[in-house]
Amino acid sequence: MSRGPREVLHLQSRAYPLHHRSPATAMELVAVPGHGELQPVVGGLKSLAYNPDSTIELDLTAVVIGSVSLPGTEILACHARILTAGTVLVIYALRHEQDLRELALPDLDALDSEVNRTLREADAAILAAVLSASVTSGLVQGIALRPDLALNGSQSPIDRQSARYNCHFVTEDPPWESDARVPALISGPDCRILLPYTYAWDCDPATPLMELLTMTEPTDIAVAQQSLLVGALIAGRWVLGDLAHGHPESTDVHAFRRFLDGLWADFHHLDGYRIESTQAHRASYLSARQVIGLDDTQERADKLLSYVSNSLLAASSQRSEALDTRLNRVAAALAVVSAASFGLDIAVFVLPQVSLAAKLGVVVGLIGMAVSCLMAVIVPRVKRPSDAVPRRRTWSARL
């Protein structure tokens, strides 16, 4: 495709929350079965002014181009950025045959949504293979997934439900105006917020990709935080649904705790961006998080997870109570057996001269008494129909 003087570069940045750890050592080749080898490179968030934060950069262009095709669209690059804060950004650089500058904002948004849907369906297996190879090679370690993914090994570790993405249109003098529903915010230089998760950047689209990724870092950090919180909301709903249907034993409390620890550690790591970034990038970050409602999502996640924690504590208390009851029954049963054994010893000692039939009668009687006591202690009491009648009447009276 030939470049025109008013070209538009279409960038899509997807954030996947994985809550991982990555080594800071020398990077070795990552062999992806069926897709060749990838060379990880140590990078960093260039928009930070104070404490540097490293990244691991992977060029997935050759892998993706060989497997994904979009009619009327050229995939210029596909880049993965593994952040220290347990999140992976997958960025596509696209060029379209049609002139995007002539599209109205709703049509532009519809085009972007369709492209994203197509790409997510087409690259799901590729990203899963790359992640699996990264874990096998030790490039990504200690992944803490959502509980429903962690407990079901047949599902892909790529958390597509939690993934969120930003859309960037890079062109000189962008012609689109912000949607009327977008609040008037002071964003960073050359950044215009068209819609939540949709931005126009006044920049030469021929700028090297890594410089463009630094330019869009503030908004991508905000969407990475949003993906973390969405994963928390999904996990909380999953646990509550399991508890509501009476299956608390299938909820791995320790896995959920590890997931939450990773979630809040990663979220607050990224939240430090608001005080660590440069002034220009900070303005874009604060505007982006306000438009996408990040603070509201954090409040909702905090409330839901607090409710889930209380429900898990109640379920744990109920299980402990049931266990105590069973242990008490077992202890009582052991006491009955010990008493029967002691009674049998006494009978044999007191009645040494009686006939065999009398001894057998005593033994059978003692064993029968012990079994009866054991059944009475161990078997739970079943409510009789007469016990339930007054309760039904009470409920009917209340209604």
Side-chain angles (χ1 to χ4, degrees):
M1 297 183 184
S2 59
R3 288 180 50 202
R6 300 172 70 79
E7 178 191 358
V8 177
L9 182 65
H10 183 189
L11 297 177
Q12 286 191 352
S13 302
R14 260 184 271 160
Y16 291 97
L18 293 176
H19 312 297
H20 57 73
R21 292 183 295 106
S22 299
T25 57
M27 303 288 105
E28 298 180 356
L29 287 174
V30 176
V32 184
H35 299 285
E37 294 181 334
L38 300 175
Q39 177 61 67
V41 178
V42 177
L45 299 180
K46 303 300 184 182
S47 56
L48 294 178
Y50 304 99
N51 299 309
D53 200 358
S54 62
T55 63
I56 297 176
E57 310 286 335
L58 288 171
D59 189 355
L60 305 180
T61 306
V63 175
V64 169
I65 289 180
S67 305
V68 179
S69 62
L70 291 171
T73 303
E74 179 185 2
I75 299 177
L76 301 178
C78 180
H79 202 84
R81 311 189 74 188
I82 304 175
L83 306 185
T84 303
T87 310
V88 177
L89 293 174
V90 178
I91 301 104
Y92 278 91
L94 309 168
R95 184 188 296 148
H96 300 272
E97 287 182 348
Q98 64 183 125
D99 188 355
L100 301 187
R101 299 177 63 94
E102 296 180 355
L103 296 179
L105 184 56
D107 299 327
L108 190 69
D109 179 61
L111 170 68
D112 170 68
S113 299
E114 182 61 30
V115 169
N116 180 261
R117 187 180 302 110
T118 303
L119 287 176
R120 290 179 66 173
E121 293 295 332
D123 66 14
I126 299 174
L127 296 183
V130 171
L131 177 60
S132 178
S134 300
V135 172
T136 302
S137 66
L139 182 65
V140 176
Q141 304 170 357
I143 293 180
L145 296 168
R146 279 194 350 240
D148 54 330
L149 295 178
L151 295 179
N152 189 346
S154 62
Q155 296 193 24
S156 169
I158 293 295
D159 190 358
R160 294 182 60 191
Q161 283 187 289
S162 302
R164 290 296 180 269
Y165 83 99
N166 272 340
C167 163
H168 308 281
F169 295 100
V170 182
T171 184
E172 295 179 343
D173 190 19
W176 311 283
E177 295 296 329
S178 301
D179 188 273
R181 294 165 293 182
V182 175
L185 298 171
I186 301 176
S187 58
D190 306 323
C191 176
R192 182 183 304 168
I193 303 176
L194 303 178
L195 288 163
Y197 305 99
T198 304
Y199 309 88
W201 299 86
D202 189 357
C203 181
D204 185 358
T207 302
L209 179 62
M210 294 309 298
E211 294 183 23
L212 295 178
L213 297 187
T214 299
M215 180 181 69
T216 60
E217 271 178 9
T219 56
D220 292 342
I221 293 296
V223 81
Q225 288 184 278
Q226 188 80 313
S227 70
L228 292 172
L229 296 178
V230 171
L233 291 171
I234 295 174
R237 293 198 302 265
W238 177 83
V239 173
L240 284 181
D242 209 33
L243 294 175
H245 289 86
H247 302 292
E249 66 280 353
S250 64
T251 301
D252 190 335
V253 177
H254 299 295
F256 187 63
R257 176 187 57 79
R258 289 192 298 270
F259 170 78
L260 292 184
D261 289 344
L263 162 76
W264 291 120
D266 293 335
F267 178 84
H268 288 291
H269 185 129
L270 292 175
D271 206 54
Y273 190 90
R274 71 171 80 202
I275 58 176
E276 298 286 346
S277 56
T278 63
Q279 292 290 347
H281 291 92
R282 189 182 306 161
S284 298
Y285 168 75
L286 294 175
S287 299
R289 65 178 293 144
Q290 182 173 345
V291 169
I292 65 177
L294 185 60
D295 293 328
D296 178 66
T297 308
Q298 181 182 359
E299 183 178 356
R300 290 172 51 211
D302 192 31
K303 289 181 178 179
L304 177 63
L305 295 178
S306 297
Y307 186 88
V308 171
S309 297
N310 293 334
S311 296
L312 286 174
L313 287 175
S316 178
S317 177
Q318 184 179 9
R319 290 195 296 270
S320 299
E321 182 180 351
L323 179 61
D324 290 342
T325 302
R326 289 194 294 269
L327 291 177
N328 290 335
R329 287 176 178 172
V330 171
L334 291 176
V336 170
V337 171
S338 299
S341 176
F342 183 67
L344 182 60
D345 291 340
I346 292 176
V348 172
F349 177 77
V350 173
L351 304 172
Q353 302 299 326
V354 297
S355 64
L356 179 61
K359 290 182 178 180
L360 290 176
V362 172
V363 171
V364 171
L366 289 173
I367 293 176
M369 181 185 67
V371 171
S372 300
C373 293
L374 285 174
M375 295 297 292
V377 170
I378 296 176
V379 176
R381 179 175 177 269
V382 179
K383 294 182 179 180
R384 294 173 298 177
S386 59
D387 296 337
V389 172
R391 185 168 297 179
R392 286 201 299 267
R393 290 176 179 172
T394 303
W395 280 108
S396 62
R398 291 180 181 176
L399 294 176

